[in-house]
């Protein structure tokens, strides 16, 4: 399996549903900004708000051949799992990427077990062999990577333009600056609730202690500490 992170913002996704996890799986797609067409003979009340907001189109019926036309991504979770083979055949004919829930034989891709903290996304997969093991590993990671990582990444995001401005012509210098920042004590300070001190430490780490700033003036960390 080749791991990849998809940007689903504004993308059209077909979900052939009816299975027990239909609502939760559709909701996760909506949370990532996808526009979803749901083909399901059942009503899923958890999706009523999204339907009202126009984020979701629901066709109350079972799958029929031709439903995949116009889509590049499809999820299959029908009431009758035997339909997956027919849906997979249409997907192959149309070049549509298909995920058939709990049916890896008919999948072009599978979904990992995911832990999120803001922009931090930790995805664990056993390539479909033992999803329960992936869940247990994710649970252990979740205990280690808590909400401080979401706040830390918010802070680091604000430094992206500063790093580019500081070292506009050297990839290696930017890379070294990022590692100095990441290897600093800033994360520990965020964990302690001391965001401003964390920011000062990151600002200091933009430059090595023995190097002047690119414009020849004192590095900003010398003025902040």
């Amino acid at each position: 399996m080749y791991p990849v992170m998809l940007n689903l913002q504004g993308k059209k996704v077909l979900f052939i549903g009816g299975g027990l996890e239909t609502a939760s799986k559709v909701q996760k797609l909506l949370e990532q900004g996808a526009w979803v067409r749901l083909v399901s003979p059942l009503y899923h009340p958890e999706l009523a708000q999204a339907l009202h907001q126009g984020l979701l189109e629901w066709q109350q019926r079972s799958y029929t051949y031709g439903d995949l036309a116009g889509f590049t991504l499809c999820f299959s979770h029908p009431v009758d799992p035997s339909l997956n083979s027919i849906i997979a055949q249409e997907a192959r004919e149309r070049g549509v990427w298909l995920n058939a829930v709990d049916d890896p034989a008919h999948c072009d891709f599978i979904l990992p077990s995911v832990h999120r903290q803001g922009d931090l996304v930790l995805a664990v997969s056993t390539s479909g062999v033992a999803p329960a093991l992936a869940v247990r590993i994710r649970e252990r990671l979740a205990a280690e990577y808590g909400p401080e990582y979401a706040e830390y990444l918010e802070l680091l995001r604000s430094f992206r333009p500063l790093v580019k401005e500081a070292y506009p012509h050297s990839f290696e210098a930017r890379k070294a600056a990022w590692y100095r920042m990441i290897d600093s004590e800033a994360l520990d300070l965020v964990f302690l609730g001391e965001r401003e001190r964390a920011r000062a430490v990151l600002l200091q780490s933009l430059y090595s202690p023995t190097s002047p700033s690119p414009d020849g003036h004192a590095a900003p960390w010398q003025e902040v500490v």
Side-chain angles (χ1 to χ4, degrees):
M1 292 292 177
Y2 186 83
V4 63
M5 303 289 285
L6 294 179
N7 179 3
L8 294 181
Q9 190 70 38
K11 300 295 193 300
K12 292 173 57 180
V13 177
L14 177 66
F15 198 105
I16 300 169
L20 293 176
E21 297 178 279
T22 291
S24 63
K25 291 185 178 297
V26 169
Q27 189 61 49
K28 288 177 181 178
L29 292 169
L30 296 175
E31 289 171 359
Q32 299 309 312
W35 180 88
V36 179
R37 174 180 292 167
L38 172 62
V39 175
S40 174
L42 305 179
Y43 177 62
H44 305 279
E46 304 95 325
L47 300 173
Q49 184 176 357
L51 186 63
H52 178 72
Q53 294 174 338
L55 304 175
L56 170 71
E57 176 189 292
W58 173 44
Q59 297 186 4
Q60 189 176 7
R61 58 176 177 81
S62 297
Y63 160 81
T64 59
Y65 183 87
D67 281 340
L68 277 67
F71 290 89
T72 56
L73 190 64
C74 176
F75 292 81
S76 177
H77 190 37
V79 177
D80 180 5
S82 67
L83 283 175
N84 282 334
S85 61
I86 303 173
I87 296 169
Q89 180 178 345
E90 182 181 354
R92 305 296 183 273
E93 293 172 0
R94 298 185 184 276
V96 177
W97 288 83
L98 175 67
N99 173 266
V101 177
D102 294 329
D103 190 355
H106 293 110
C107 287
D108 295 305
F109 65 98
I110 59 176
L111 301 181
S113 184
V114 176
H115 171 62
R116 296 179 184 271
Q117 288 292 353
D119 288 319
L120 178 66
V121 181
L122 302 179
V124 182
S125 174
T126 59
S127 300
V129 175
L133 175 60
V135 170
R136 291 298 187 233
I137 294 173
R138 183 205 69 200
E139 290 172 346
R140 289 197 287 270
L141 291 172
E144 180 175 353
Y145 295 91
E148 66 274 10
Y149 279 85
E151 185 176 357
Y152 184 43
L153 281 170
E154 287 182 8
L155 187 56
L156 289 174
R157 181 190 295 276
S158 70
F159 274 82
R160 292 189 65 83
L162 298 180
V163 175
K164 290 181 180 179
E165 181 181 351
Y167 304 102
H169 305 300
S170 174
F171 169 78
E172 289 301 323
R174 292 194 297 273
K175 178 180 176 181
W178 274 112
Y179 276 108
R180 287 196 303 273
M181 293 162 63
I182 297 302
D183 292 337
S184 74
E185 63 175 346
L187 175 59
D188 295 331
L189 292 169
V190 171
F191 181 78
L192 294 173
E194 300 187 32
R195 184 177 177 126
E196 289 308 311
R197 283 188 62 197
R199 180 176 177 81
V201 167
L202 289 173
L203 192 58
Q204 174 180 343
S205 300
L206 263 176
Y207 303 97
S208 64
T210 57
S211 300
S213 65
D215 61 7
H217 298 299
W221 62 266
Q222 296 174 329
E223 304 169 19
V224 171
V225 174

